[in-house]
Amino acid sequence: MQKFEYASPTTKEQAVALLGKSWGETEVLAGGTDLLSLMKDFIVTPKRVVNIKGIAELSLIRMPRNGSANIGALVTIEQLIDTLGRGFPAITDAAKGITSPQIRNMGTVGGDLLQRPRCWYYRAGFGLLPKGENGEPLVANGDNRYHAILGNDGEAKFVNPSSLAPALIALNAKIKIFGPAGGREVAADKFFVAPRSDSDREYTLEPNEIVMGISIPPTLGVRSATYEVRQKEALDWPLAAASVALTLDAAKKVKAARIALGHVAPTPWLAEAAAEYLTGKTINEDVAAEAGKIALAGAKPLSRNAYKVQLARVAVKRAILQAAG
Amino acid sequence: MAEYKWPEEGKRSHIGKRIKRLDGPDKVSGRAKYTYDLNRPGMLFGKVVRSPHAHAKIVSIDLSVAEKMPGVKAVKIIQGPGAEIQWAGDEIVVLAAETEGQAEDAARAVKIQYEKLPHFVNEQNWDAIPEANRRRPSEATAGDPAKAFKEADIVFEGSYGNEVITHCCLESHGLIAEWEDDKNLLVHQSTQSVSANGPQFAQALGIPAGNVRLKMEHIGGGFGSKFPVDRWGIEAAKLSKLAGGKPIKLMLERDSELMVAGSRPSVFAKVKVAAKKDGSITGWESEVWGSGGVGNFSFAGLLPYVFRAGVENRKEKFSVIGTNTGPQRAWRAPNHPQACLITMSAFDDLAAELKMDPLDLFLKNIALTGTRANVYRDELMKAAEMIEWKKMWRPRGEGAPGSTKYVKRGLGLSLHTWGGGGHASDCDLTIHPDGSVELKMGTQDLGVGTRTVLAIVAADTLGLPLDAVKVHIGDNRYPVSSGSGGSTTVGGVSSSTRRASIDALNALFEKVAPAMNTTAGKLEAVGGKIQEIGKPTNSMTWKQACAKLGTQPLTTRGKNPGKETLTTAGVGGVQMADVSVDIETGIVKMNNFVAVQDCGLIIDMKTAESQVFGAMIMGVTFALFEEKVMDAQTGRMLNPNMEFYRLAGLADIGNFKVHMMTGKGYDERGVIGVGEPPTVSPGAAISNAVANAIGVRVPSIPLTPDRVLAALEKKGGASAKI
Ligand SMILES: Cc1cc2nc3c(=O)[nH]c(=O)nc-3n(C[C@H](O)[C@H](O)[C@H](O)COP(=O)(O)OP(=O)(O)OC[C@H]3O[C@@H](n4cnc5c(N)ncnc54)[C@H](O)[C@@H]3O)c2cc1C
């Protein structure tokens, strides 16, 4: 690990003042379950690490009776599961998939959203947009069995690893941010971006901003679910996942739908056409399968990951059926 | 001369019982110290600088910065300019520093210039293998295969394969080497070979064999990969000398462990089977290739696996493919799992082609297995009963009971064999005048229960409770016992221990017989007493008897003389798997997995069963998850970590049932060994179960969703593609 300066601020103002103006100079430390591995492997080499665990307000949870929720960035995955209870199945389904118990007890909501890609070329030190010695792109020509099938036209071909992000997007959540200029909120589906260079990040946060937490709008009457296709039950990320939120009318027809896919693109993937297709329909297996097809209509598999298209379609189908109940 | 036999069934006080391993509490509480846990006074940390390239020439090495880094005590070049590197991860420079962090920093400061050379790392596709990487094939023909295939009612052709997998020891390879003085080396090493490695260090370092002390209390896995002293072992010793003899701890990092410390060859095969309409197999043809990295391996004499003895018409071709990856090492039952997969898949496919129940087809051909046909028949029937084969099995693709629209259930079976036996083993058994007993042996307990087995054999023989025997192992100052390989440890060590115990007991009988007014030959040791056979009232407690030794403890040397009544070799086993396959996602889940195994006389039922359980977990992992993924572009391993190198967890393995064959026909064969055989069948049994569930063969292992979905789309598959 490269030597670094360690800071432990107790207010958000102090924290952002300690952060650098460009990515790479400084890193925020929450649970550390991802950051420490990145540092040990010299994938990130910050000069200063800013531990935010001393900032009390980041651990707050507010759940008013209207079915909305405000969750601080430092709330652990396990606390999230405990607090949300049965009201937010899309989120809790996804959170329960994050294994092991140790990770759920150390890992935080903010850290889950901001964890770095698991791409095996990136983690081996070939860069976020991995290139060989002569600048040749490694993912497109290499072993891309776990890489993106959607949104992979640019150089970014990794998949966003967060399981919580698609669920938050399906539920129209906002991400609360604090920086030198004060607080701001971004819709979860606008928060993630595909980086264009190795020094960009996968989200629209500024280097000297921190995530304060998430706010989920009222969910009363919303049926939601997340379905993950995972090969192993524990210590593994899904191969594809879908989070779905539905509101049904009295006749059980879909009034509104939102579908977001995970682990298929460099960002969580909002499937708008599929959601639109569902609107006005009664959910059955054929309708759900069709929505899966529509969600993946634009998929452009790489040389070795065409199978993920099927997995993602199935995830959408099953999430819809599960949400509809 | 004493007669060396195992006690009759009714006369065993510990042997064959279900006894918990003696070091269990130490292990679960963390008191057990592995090499990785040890910290010696003044210890330095060693790091190896490895080649990032799969094939390259070293042009220059610059140590100047590294040498001056804080804490650095010694730096040494292992392979210098001009050397040709053949695999990514090979050792170039080794160094030691006061802290692990300093050593790592210094390793990163070593500057090495390479001239890159072309590499080849992917051997799966025969047509894409360059001529230069195909080593000269071995070919063999027996009987008249052309005639057999011409006259066959049916000729089945199939292709099968499995990838290179690694040993992935949870405690990585490594050691602590230190010089006690100029000429004497002390080594703590994580090894399968406590007695044999001292001389190897000595030879490499130019010191007498007796000057190397080697110790190991506990080991976190070896599986065949931890026999050698390894180049990094010798280099750590040399580096320690450079550092003034200070202890140097050099344990491989996880990525190195997976890249260079052991792998098992891949094998791919095109197979033809000739058979009659009734399922009788009459001929075999196979073209096989595979890679053990830069290493060699042989597949001769294995196919068709288990049935070879009776399949007289055979034609075989086998080619080793050289790749720029680390050399293969022996992996629990070397070559058998691959041979088993190829054979049992082909026979299972043949049964499907003939619309036969594979259990019937295997039974029909059971005589072809040769001398152990009856064992296999008994084991097949037992396993079938345990998994309810007749109730559950359905023809391929129909789905066993419990199947749903998208989740199809299936059953599969496989047979396997292994040698085992007893390796050379010496031990010293000492009875002290105070009645305590010590056993010393230069063996090792690979986590399998060797310590426990030694105590059981000695205590059973001496008529004592288990805790009366103190077992000392894991030190090359003790009598020499071989390395643990080939499933020969339990045979070897229990034979030498039984003999030492019988001899010691007879010597004790001689001492006490006069006081009991009888002769030694009329005495027995039972329940903590020495008593007259048939006249138990004439007795003495063990303690009283030992007091007759005076001041001199009694020590006897036990030796396993090789093949004799206490051990033999050769076992058979049967496994049956029951799986569910999600045909929309290609995900395979284990439902039930049954193993029936024989291994002669069982010393400890519990640890024997544990060996089978462990093998089945490893086997599920092999069948469903494991692959050493090599990147064609960079020549590097892409998954040298515990994230993408997937191992099965408890939630992935389903329900296991194990049955050990014991009693008549088994016990009298003596102790044989069971570490390896049960790892052989899982790949084949699970692959067959998947084929049965989904109606089509997934040709190669691991059975990952991409492979399962691809197979499902083929003719006959129950594809549920959206
Ligand atoms: C074996 C294993 C399996 C896993 N499986 C899954 C899975 O299935 N699904 C899934 O989603 N995740 C999975 N994870 C990832 C896990 O959820 C994350 O590692 C964890 O949530 C990260 O949280 P943390 O608090 O430890 O983050 P840290 O490691 O502390 O930080 C992660 C990143 O986020 C930044 N960061 C953290 N908090 C903030 C903040 N408030 N403001 C600004 N920047 C911040 C850090 O600078 C760093 O770059 C798995 C992890 C492991 C080890």
Tab-separated table of all heavy atoms in Angstrom, chain B residues 12-61:
chain	number	residue	atom	x	y	z
B	12	ARG	N	-12.116	-54.551	18.924
B	12	ARG	CA	-11.574	-53.216	18.653
B	12	ARG	C	-12.174	-52.228	19.641
B	12	ARG	O	-13.391	-52.076	19.693
B	12	ARG	CB	-11.933	-52.781	17.226
B	12	ARG	CG	-11.394	-53.695	16.157
B	12	ARG	CD	-11.942	-53.319	14.775
B	12	ARG	NE	-11.677	-54.407	13.840
B	12	ARG	CZ	-12.395	-54.651	12.751
B	12	ARG	NH1	-13.403	-53.854	12.439
B	12	ARG	NH2	-12.102	-55.668	11.968
B	13	SER	N	-11.313	-51.584	20.412
B	13	SER	CA	-11.866	-50.644	21.389
B	13	SER	C	-12.011	-49.243	20.793
B	13	SER	O	-12.902	-48.496	21.159
B	13	SER	CB	-11.000	-50.611	22.645
B	13	SER	OG	-9.660	-50.339	22.308
B	14	HIS	N	-11.133	-48.862	19.879
B	14	HIS	CA	-11.230	-47.537	19.242
B	14	HIS	C	-11.324	-47.650	17.727
B	14	HIS	O	-11.999	-46.846	17.086
B	14	HIS	CB	-10.002	-46.681	19.574
B	14	HIS	CG	-9.746	-46.532	21.042
B	14	HIS	ND1	-10.626	-45.925	21.899
B	14	HIS	CD2	-8.693	-46.929	21.803
B	14	HIS	CE1	-10.136	-45.936	23.126
B	14	HIS	NE2	-8.966	-46.547	23.102
B	15	ILE	N	-10.625	-48.615	17.174
B	15	ILE	CA	-10.541	-48.730	15.713
B	15	ILE	C	-11.939	-48.877	15.103
B	15	ILE	O	-12.741	-49.683	15.579
B	15	ILE	CB	-9.646	-49.928	15.321
B	15	ILE	CG1	-8.191	-49.596	15.671
B	15	ILE	CG2	-9.782	-50.278	13.844
B	15	ILE	CD1	-7.214	-50.733	15.482
B	16	GLY	N	-12.189	-48.066	14.090
B	16	GLY	CA	-13.469	-48.153	13.376
B	16	GLY	C	-14.594	-47.353	14.010
B	16	GLY	O	-15.669	-47.221	13.444
B	17	LYS	N	-14.330	-46.811	15.214
B	17	LYS	CA	-15.368	-46.013	15.887
B	17	LYS	C	-15.389	-44.610	15.270
B	17	LYS	O	-14.503	-44.216	14.524
B	17	LYS	CB	-15.081	-45.918	17.385
B	17	LYS	CG	-15.005	-47.283	18.079
B	17	LYS	CD	-16.358	-47.672	18.616
B	17	LYS	CE	-16.575	-49.172	18.818
B	17	LYS	NZ	-15.523	-50.039	19.183
B	18	ARG	N	-16.421	-43.882	15.664
B	18	ARG	CA	-16.587	-42.523	15.161
B	18	ARG	C	-15.914	-41.568	16.149
B	18	ARG	O	-16.512	-41.170	17.135
B	18	ARG	CB	-18.084	-42.259	15.101
B	18	ARG	CG	-18.552	-41.224	14.155
B	18	ARG	CD	-20.065	-41.252	14.118
B	18	ARG	NE	-20.538	-42.333	13.264
B	18	ARG	CZ	-20.550	-42.239	11.948
B	18	ARG	NH1	-20.182	-41.137	11.354
B	18	ARG	NH2	-20.966	-43.255	11.241
B	19	ILE	N	-14.659	-41.230	15.914
B	19	ILE	CA	-13.890	-40.456	16.900
B	19	ILE	C	-13.539	-39.086	16.338
B	19	ILE	O	-13.042	-38.960	15.216
B	19	ILE	CB	-12.619	-41.247	17.289
B	19	ILE	CG1	-13.044	-42.512	18.056
B	19	ILE	CG2	-11.673	-40.395	18.144
B	19	ILE	CD1	-11.975	-43.538	18.240
B	20	LYS	N	-13.813	-38.064	17.158
B	20	LYS	CA	-13.528	-36.691	16.728
B	20	LYS	C	-12.027	-36.471	16.659
B	20	LYS	O	-11.292	-36.963	17.504
B	20	LYS	CB	-14.105	-35.695	17.736
B	20	LYS	CG	-15.596	-35.629	17.723
B	20	LYS	CD	-16.062	-34.446	18.570
B	20	LYS	CE	-17.553	-34.511	18.755
B	20	LYS	NZ	-17.975	-34.511	20.150
B	21	ARG	N	-11.595	-35.678	15.699
B	21	ARG	CA	-10.162	-35.467	15.575
B	21	ARG	C	-9.621	-34.776	16.826
B	21	ARG	O	-10.261	-33.877	17.378
B	21	ARG	CB	-9.817	-34.712	14.314
B	21	ARG	CG	-10.238	-33.279	14.291
B	21	ARG	CD	-9.949	-32.636	12.950
B	21	ARG	NE	-10.797	-33.207	11.919
B	21	ARG	CZ	-10.400	-33.421	10.665
B	21	ARG	NH1	-9.201	-33.110	10.288
B	21	ARG	NH2	-11.232	-33.945	9.784
B	22	LEU	N	-8.441	-35.212	17.243
B	22	LEU	CA	-7.887	-34.734	18.517
B	22	LEU	C	-7.524	-33.257	18.472
B	22	LEU	O	-7.566	-32.573	19.488
B	22	LEU	CB	-6.637	-35.548	18.880
B	22	LEU	CG	-6.869	-37.057	19.048
B	22	LEU	CD1	-5.562	-37.756	19.380
B	22	LEU	CD2	-7.909	-37.321	20.140
B	23	ASP	N	-7.151	-32.755	17.291
B	23	ASP	CA	-6.746	-31.348	17.224
B	23	ASP	C	-7.905	-30.435	16.830
B	23	ASP	O	-7.703	-29.245	16.586
B	23	ASP	CB	-5.539	-31.157	16.290
B	23	ASP	CG	-5.721	-31.889	14.962
B	23	ASP	OD1	-6.863	-32.311	14.661
B	23	ASP	OD2	-4.726	-32.047	14.235
B	24	GLY	N	-9.109	-30.980	16.808
B	24	GLY	CA	-10.276	-30.166	16.450
B	24	GLY	C	-10.436	-28.930	17.320
B	24	GLY	O	-10.534	-27.804	16.800
B	25	PRO	N	-10.457	-29.088	18.655
B	25	PRO	CA	-10.624	-27.909	19.507
B	25	PRO	C	-9.538	-26.852	19.293
B	25	PRO	O	-9.828	-25.656	19.279
B	25	PRO	CB	-10.554	-28.491	20.929
B	25	PRO	CG	-10.975	-29.921	20.766
B	25	PRO	CD	-10.472	-30.342	19.425
B	26	ASP	N	-8.282	-27.302	19.083
B	26	ASP	CA	-7.207	-26.331	18.829
B	26	ASP	C	-7.471	-25.560	17.543
B	26	ASP	O	-7.198	-24.367	17.447
B	26	ASP	CB	-5.857	-27.044	18.685
B	26	ASP	CG	-5.291	-27.428	20.037
B	26	ASP	OD1	-5.831	-26.940	21.058
B	26	ASP	OD2	-4.335	-28.225	20.071
B	27	LYS	N	-7.990	-26.265	16.560
B	27	LYS	CA	-8.199	-25.611	15.259
B	27	LYS	C	-9.346	-24.617	15.307
B	27	LYS	O	-9.224	-23.500	14.807
B	27	LYS	CB	-8.438	-26.653	14.175
B	27	LYS	CG	-7.159	-27.378	13.839
B	27	LYS	CD	-7.287	-28.246	12.623
B	27	LYS	CE	-5.884	-28.632	12.158
B	27	LYS	NZ	-5.904	-29.586	11.064
B	28	VAL	N	-10.448	-25.015	15.927
B	28	VAL	CA	-11.582	-24.082	15.907
B	28	VAL	C	-11.366	-22.914	16.859
B	28	VAL	O	-11.958	-21.850	16.693
B	28	VAL	CB	-12.933	-24.769	16.197
B	28	VAL	CG1	-13.258	-25.776	15.117
B	28	VAL	CG2	-12.956	-25.420	17.564
B	29	SER	N	-10.489	-23.092	17.853
B	29	SER	CA	-10.270	-21.995	18.799
B	29	SER	C	-9.111	-21.103	18.375
B	29	SER	O	-8.866	-20.071	18.983
B	29	SER	CB	-9.973	-22.559	20.189
B	29	SER	OG	-8.749	-23.279	20.139
B	30	GLY	N	-8.386	-21.504	17.330
B	30	GLY	CA	-7.257	-20.691	16.888
B	30	GLY	C	-5.967	-20.990	17.628
B	30	GLY	O	-4.943	-20.354	17.371
B	31	ARG	N	-5.999	-21.936	18.555
B	31	ARG	CA	-4.756	-22.286	19.263
B	31	ARG	C	-3.785	-23.015	18.347
B	31	ARG	O	-2.582	-22.934	18.527
B	31	ARG	CB	-5.071	-23.176	20.473
B	31	ARG	CG	-5.573	-22.434	21.693
B	31	ARG	CD	-5.510	-23.326	22.931
B	31	ARG	NE	-6.299	-24.550	22.787
B	31	ARG	CZ	-7.592	-24.640	23.106
B	31	ARG	NH1	-8.233	-23.603	23.602
B	31	ARG	NH2	-8.245	-25.772	22.930
B	32	ALA	N	-4.319	-23.742	17.385
B	32	ALA	CA	-3.450	-24.468	16.445
B	32	ALA	C	-2.667	-23.450	15.635
B	32	ALA	O	-3.252	-22.520	15.086
B	32	ALA	CB	-4.289	-25.344	15.527
B	33	LYS	N	-1.372	-23.609	15.583
B	33	LYS	CA	-0.552	-22.651	14.845
B	33	LYS	C	-0.104	-23.243	13.513
B	33	LYS	O	0.573	-24.260	13.460
B	33	LYS	CB	0.687	-22.251	15.672
B	33	LYS	CG	0.334	-21.459	16.933
B	33	LYS	CD	-0.153	-20.045	16.608
B	33	LYS	CE	-0.637	-19.311	17.835
B	33	LYS	NZ	-2.066	-18.913	17.735
B	34	TYR	N	-0.493	-22.574	12.465
B	34	TYR	CA	-0.051	-22.933	11.126
B	34	TYR	C	1.253	-22.188	10.853
B	34	TYR	O	1.584	-21.215	11.532
B	34	TYR	CB	-1.112	-22.532	10.098
B	34	TYR	CG	-2.404	-23.308	10.260
B	34	TYR	CD1	-3.309	-23.014	11.276
B	34	TYR	CD2	-2.703	-24.357	9.398
B	34	TYR	CE1	-4.483	-23.738	11.429
B	34	TYR	CE2	-3.882	-25.084	9.538
B	34	TYR	CZ	-4.766	-24.775	10.553
B	34	TYR	OH	-5.919	-25.500	10.702
B	35	THR	N	1.981	-22.629	9.828
B	35	THR	CA	3.228	-21.934	9.477
B	35	THR	C	2.953	-20.440	9.293
B	35	THR	O	3.712	-19.594	9.745
B	35	THR	CB	3.812	-22.538	8.179
B	35	THR	OG1	3.927	-23.950	8.362
B	35	THR	CG2	5.176	-21.948	7.856
B	36	TYR	N	1.838	-20.152	8.638
B	36	TYR	CA	1.458	-18.764	8.382
B	36	TYR	C	1.352	-17.951	9.678
B	36	TYR	O	1.601	-16.742	9.691
B	36	TYR	CB	0.095	-18.751	7.665
B	36	TYR	CG	-0.060	-17.594	6.708
B	36	TYR	CD1	-0.069	-17.814	5.338
B	36	TYR	CD2	-0.201	-16.287	7.172
B	36	TYR	CE1	-0.204	-16.773	4.450
B	36	TYR	CE2	-0.339	-15.236	6.289
B	36	TYR	CZ	-0.340	-15.477	4.931
B	36	TYR	OH	-0.466	-14.443	4.063
B	37	ASP	N	0.962	-18.628	10.775
B	37	ASP	CA	0.742	-17.924	12.044
B	37	ASP	C	2.026	-17.657	12.817
B	37	ASP	O	2.025	-16.871	13.756
B	37	ASP	CB	-0.148	-18.773	12.970
B	37	ASP	CG	-1.519	-19.022	12.378
B	37	ASP	OD1	-2.041	-18.111	11.720
B	37	ASP	OD2	-2.051	-20.131	12.588
B	38	LEU	N	3.083	-18.371	12.475
B	38	LEU	CA	4.286	-18.309	13.328
B	38	LEU	C	5.055	-17.025	13.092
B	38	LEU	O	5.159	-16.538	11.968
B	38	LEU	CB	5.200	-19.503	13.021
B	38	LEU	CG	4.594	-20.891	13.251
B	38	LEU	CD1	5.597	-21.959	12.828
B	38	LEU	CD2	4.204	-21.068	14.718
B	39	ASN	N	5.566	-16.496	14.171
B	39	ASN	CA	6.457	-15.343	14.070
B	39	ASN	C	7.675	-15.637	14.922
B	39	ASN	O	7.561	-15.830	16.119
B	39	ASN	CB	5.767	-14.066	14.540
B	39	ASN	CG	4.694	-13.641	13.556
B	39	ASN	OD1	4.944	-13.519	12.369
B	39	ASN	ND2	3.481	-13.454	14.042
B	40	ARG	N	8.833	-15.688	14.318
B	40	ARG	CA	10.060	-16.038	15.019
B	40	ARG	C	10.772	-14.762	15.462
B	40	ARG	O	10.613	-13.706	14.838
B	40	ARG	CB	10.969	-16.867	14.098
B	40	ARG	CG	10.285	-18.077	13.488
B	40	ARG	CD	10.275	-19.259	14.423
B	40	ARG	NE	11.612	-19.577	14.878
B	40	ARG	CZ	11.887	-20.198	16.035
B	40	ARG	NH1	10.893	-20.544	16.841
B	40	ARG	NH2	13.124	-20.449	16.384
B	41	PRO	N	11.560	-14.852	16.538
B	41	PRO	CA	12.243	-13.648	17.020
B	41	PRO	C	13.144	-13.039	15.943
B	41	PRO	O	13.854	-13.776	15.265
B	41	PRO	CB	13.098	-14.164	18.196
B	41	PRO	CG	12.569	-15.518	18.538
B	41	PRO	CD	11.849	-16.045	17.349
B	42	GLY	N	13.047	-11.743	15.772
B	42	GLY	CA	13.912	-11.040	14.816
B	42	GLY	C	13.585	-11.324	13.364
B	42	GLY	O	14.395	-11.099	12.475
B	43	MET	N	12.386	-11.797	13.151
B	43	MET	CA	12.015	-12.288	11.822
B	43	MET	C	11.902	-11.182	10.774
B	43	MET	O	11.397	-10.099	11.045
B	43	MET	CB	10.669	-13.009	11.954
B	43	MET	CG	10.220	-13.741	10.731
B	43	MET	SD	8.687	-14.627	11.092
B	43	MET	CE	7.510	-13.300	10.906
B	44	LEU	N	12.376	-11.482	9.570
B	44	LEU	CA	12.219	-10.588	8.422
B	44	LEU	C	11.147	-11.162	7.493
B	44	LEU	O	10.832	-12.343	7.559
B	44	LEU	CB	13.532	-10.484	7.651
B	44	LEU	CG	14.766	-10.060	8.437
B	44	LEU	CD1	16.007	-10.171	7.546
B	44	LEU	CD2	14.601	-8.640	8.992
B	45	PHE	N	10.630	-10.295	6.629
B	45	PHE	CA	9.600	-10.734	5.689
B	45	PHE	C	10.173	-10.800	4.279
B	45	PHE	O	10.777	-9.840	3.818
B	45	PHE	CB	8.402	-9.788	5.733
B	45	PHE	CG	7.650	-9.881	7.036
B	45	PHE	CD1	8.059	-9.154	8.145
B	45	PHE	CD2	6.560	-10.729	7.147
B	45	PHE	CE1	7.386	-9.247	9.357
B	45	PHE	CE2	5.883	-10.839	8.353
B	45	PHE	CZ	6.293	-10.095	9.462
B	46	GLY	N	9.965	-11.910	3.652
B	46	GLY	CA	10.471	-12.100	2.293
B	46	GLY	C	9.395	-11.843	1.257
B	46	GLY	O	8.219	-12.115	1.488
B	47	LYS	N	9.803	-11.278	0.143
B	47	LYS	CA	8.886	-11.089	-0.996
B	47	LYS	C	9.611	-11.493	-2.268
B	47	LYS	O	10.826	-11.286	-2.397
B	47	LYS	CB	8.473	-9.616	-1.146
B	47	LYS	CG	7.520	-9.125	-0.085
B	47	LYS	CD	6.080	-9.521	-0.351
B	47	LYS	CE	5.257	-9.198	0.892
B	47	LYS	NZ	4.067	-9.991	1.044
B	48	VAL	N	8.843	-12.011	-3.185
B	48	VAL	CA	9.403	-12.416	-4.465
B	48	VAL	C	8.920	-11.443	-5.534
B	48	VAL	O	7.743	-11.092	-5.555
B	48	VAL	CB	8.943	-13.849	-4.817
B	48	VAL	CG1	9.435	-14.243	-6.202
B	48	VAL	CG2	9.427	-14.835	-3.769
B	49	VAL	N	9.839	-11.021	-6.378
B	49	VAL	CA	9.451	-10.221	-7.548
B	49	VAL	C	9.220	-11.208	-8.681
B	49	VAL	O	10.089	-12.025	-8.984
B	49	VAL	CB	10.556	-9.223	-7.932
B	49	VAL	CG1	10.101	-8.373	-9.113
B	49	VAL	CG2	10.921	-8.358	-6.738
B	50	ARG	N	8.036	-11.136	-9.279
B	50	ARG	CA	7.654	-12.134	-10.284
B	50	ARG	C	7.512	-11.515	-11.669
B	50	ARG	O	7.221	-10.333	-11.793
B	50	ARG	CB	6.326	-12.773	-9.877
B	50	ARG	CG	6.454	-13.498	-8.556
B	50	ARG	CD	5.141	-14.120	-8.088
B	50	ARG	NE	5.375	-14.796	-6.823
B	50	ARG	CZ	5.921	-15.996	-6.711
B	50	ARG	NH1	6.253	-16.677	-7.798
B	50	ARG	NH2	6.138	-16.528	-5.531
B	51	SER	N	7.662	-12.335	-12.665
B	51	SER	CA	7.533	-11.838	-14.034
B	51	SER	C	6.074	-11.525	-14.352
B	51	SER	O	5.200	-12.347	-14.125
B	51	SER	CB	8.034	-12.888	-15.026
B	51	SER	OG	7.643	-12.513	-16.330
B	52	PRO	N	5.825	-10.331	-14.902
B	52	PRO	CA	4.454	-10.030	-15.336
B	52	PRO	C	4.178	-10.626	-16.719
B	52	PRO	O	3.041	-10.609	-17.175
B	52	PRO	CB	4.435	-8.505	-15.400
B	52	PRO	CG	5.848	-8.107	-15.672
B	52	PRO	CD	6.734	-9.186	-15.085
B	53	HIS	N	5.213	-11.116	-17.364
B	53	HIS	CA	5.060	-11.610	-18.732
B	53	HIS	C	5.068	-13.133	-18.769
B	53	HIS	O	5.778	-13.779	-18.001
B	53	HIS	CB	6.179	-11.069	-19.620
B	53	HIS	CG	6.268	-9.576	-19.593
B	53	HIS	ND1	5.226	-8.784	-20.011
B	53	HIS	CD2	7.244	-8.741	-19.168
B	53	HIS	CE1	5.564	-7.502	-19.859
B	53	HIS	NE2	6.780	-7.450	-19.336
B	54	ALA	N	4.317	-13.672	-19.716
B	54	ALA	CA	4.198	-15.131	-19.810
B	54	ALA	C	5.402	-15.741	-20.521
B	54	ALA	O	5.724	-16.907	-20.322
B	54	ALA	CB	2.914	-15.494	-20.543
B	55	HIS	N	6.044	-14.931	-21.352
B	55	HIS	CA	7.207	-15.439	-22.079
B	55	HIS	C	8.099	-14.245	-22.396
B	55	HIS	O	7.664	-13.338	-23.098
B	55	HIS	CB	6.754	-16.149	-23.364
B	55	HIS	CG	7.854	-16.915	-24.038
B	55	HIS	ND1	7.755	-17.392	-25.314
B	55	HIS	CD2	9.094	-17.285	-23.594
B	55	HIS	CE1	8.883	-18.027	-25.635
B	55	HIS	NE2	9.700	-17.973	-24.608
B	56	ALA	N	9.267	-14.252	-21.865
B	56	ALA	CA	10.132	-13.084	-22.055
B	56	ALA	C	11.566	-13.434	-21.697
B	56	ALA	O	11.835	-14.426	-21.016
B	56	ALA	CB	9.655	-11.937	-21.170
B	57	LYS	N	12.461	-12.610	-22.184
B	57	LYS	CA	13.870	-12.724	-21.796
B	57	LYS	C	14.184	-11.567	-20.860
B	57	LYS	O	13.777	-10.440	-21.108
B	57	LYS	CB	14.744	-12.611	-23.043
B	57	LYS	CG	15.772	-13.715	-23.102
B	57	LYS	CD	16.728	-13.579	-24.241
B	57	LYS	CE	17.267	-14.975	-24.547
B	57	LYS	NZ	17.163	-15.372	-25.899
B	58	ILE	N	14.915	-11.859	-19.813
B	58	ILE	CA	15.320	-10.771	-18.920
B	58	ILE	C	16.486	-10.040	-19.562
B	58	ILE	O	17.482	-10.659	-19.938
B	58	ILE	CB	15.743	-11.313	-17.550
B	58	ILE	CG1	14.589	-12.101	-16.909
B	58	ILE	CG2	16.175	-10.165	-16.631
B	58	ILE	CD1	14.945	-12.741	-15.597
B	59	VAL	N	16.332	-8.723	-19.701
B	59	VAL	CA	17.394	-7.924	-20.310
B	59	VAL	C	18.293	-7.352	-19.221
B	59	VAL	O	19.515	-7.439	-19.284
B	59	VAL	CB	16.795	-6.789	-21.172
B	59	VAL	CG1	17.898	-5.901	-21.734
B	59	VAL	CG2	15.941	-7.378	-22.289
B	60	SER	N	17.672	-6.766	-18.206
B	60	SER	CA	18.496	-6.195	-17.132
B	60	SER	C	17.695	-6.123	-15.845
B	60	SER	O	16.464	-6.096	-15.872
B	60	SER	CB	18.959	-4.789	-17.523
B	60	SER	OG	17.821	-3.949	-17.615
B	61	ILE	N	18.423	-6.128	-14.746
B	61	ILE	CA	17.784	-6.000	-13.436
B	61	ILE	C	18.518	-4.917	-12.657
B	61	ILE	O	19.742	-4.954	-12.539
B	61	ILE	CB	17.853	-7.330	-12.649
B	61	ILE	CG1	17.157	-8.452	-13.430
B	61	ILE	CG2	17.224	-7.171	-11.266
B	61	ILE	CD1	17.215	-9.805	-12.765
